[in-house]
């Protein structure tokens, strides 16, 4: 059973930055994709960013140009660098991975942006 553990959430002012980390319990080189969803109260879950094993990355339109996802296979960790944060980025950010068609989820980390 793959375990994903997120860290790096917190409270920052608008315009600030945060870096989220998602550490996996096994080698992430086997994961076809890893990424982040977010869930804000009263909102639909949104796919924020994905990093594919071949190196491709994709982003939600709402975060393009501000967020960067990266994978470090040596540390079995995926990162989400979030810059120019806005109050509407406030949400629980949840890491996910896919291995052989099986989805795995972290428990989530709260990100709160104050105006």
């Amino acid at each position: 059973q793959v375990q994903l553990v997120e860290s790096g959430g917190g409270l920052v002012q608008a315009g600030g930055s945060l870096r989220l980390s998602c550490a996996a319990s096994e080698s992430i080189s086997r994961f076809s994709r890893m990424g982040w969803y977010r869930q804000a109260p009263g909102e639909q879950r949104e796919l924020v960013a994905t990093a594919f094993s071949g190196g491709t990355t994709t982003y939600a339109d709402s975060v393009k140009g501000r967020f960067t996802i990266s994978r470090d296979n040596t540390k079995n960790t995926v990162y989400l660098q979030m810059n120019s944060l806005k109050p509407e980025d406030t949400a629980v950010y949840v890491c996910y991975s896919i291995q052989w068609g099986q989805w795995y989820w972290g428990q989530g980390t709260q990100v709160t942006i104050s105006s």
Side-chain angles (χ1 to χ4, degrees):
Q1 180 76 11
V2 174
Q3 294 185 337
L4 303 175
V5 179
E6 302 103 329
S7 61
L11 170 64
V12 298
Q13 290 187 331
S17 298
L18 282 172
R19 187 177 80 156
L20 305 183
S21 300
C22 173
S25 59
E26 59 182 75
S27 174
I28 67 171
S29 61
R30 305 173 184 176
F31 299 160
S32 60
R33 69 181 82 171
M34 295 188 73
W36 298 87
Y37 277 86
R38 67 185 179 186
Q39 179 80 59
E43 301 288 335
Q44 285 190 329
R45 186 177 64 178
E46 179 182 27
L47 177 58
V48 176
T50 297
F52 293 84
S53 57
T56 301
T57 57
T58 59
Y59 299 91
D61 287 343
S62 58
V63 306
K64 281 181 181 177
R66 301 187 298 122
F67 290 13
T68 302
I69 189 170
S70 60
R71 293 171 65 146
D72 186 339
N73 288 353
T74 65
K75 297 182 179 180
N76 296 328
T77 300
V78 63
Y79 302 98
L80 186 67
Q81 178 66 44
M82 306 186 294
N83 299 327
S84 303
L85 284 162
K86 305 175 181 180
E88 51 263 44
D89 293 319
T90 295
V92 174
Y93 285 70
V94 183
C95 176
Y96 81 96
S97 67
I98 300 176
Q99 182 187 48
W100 306 115
Q102 179 69 44
W103 288 67
Y104 299 95
W105 300 92
Q107 292 190 328
T109 185
Q110 177 69 46
V111 171
T112 303
I113 312 302
S114 63
S115 58

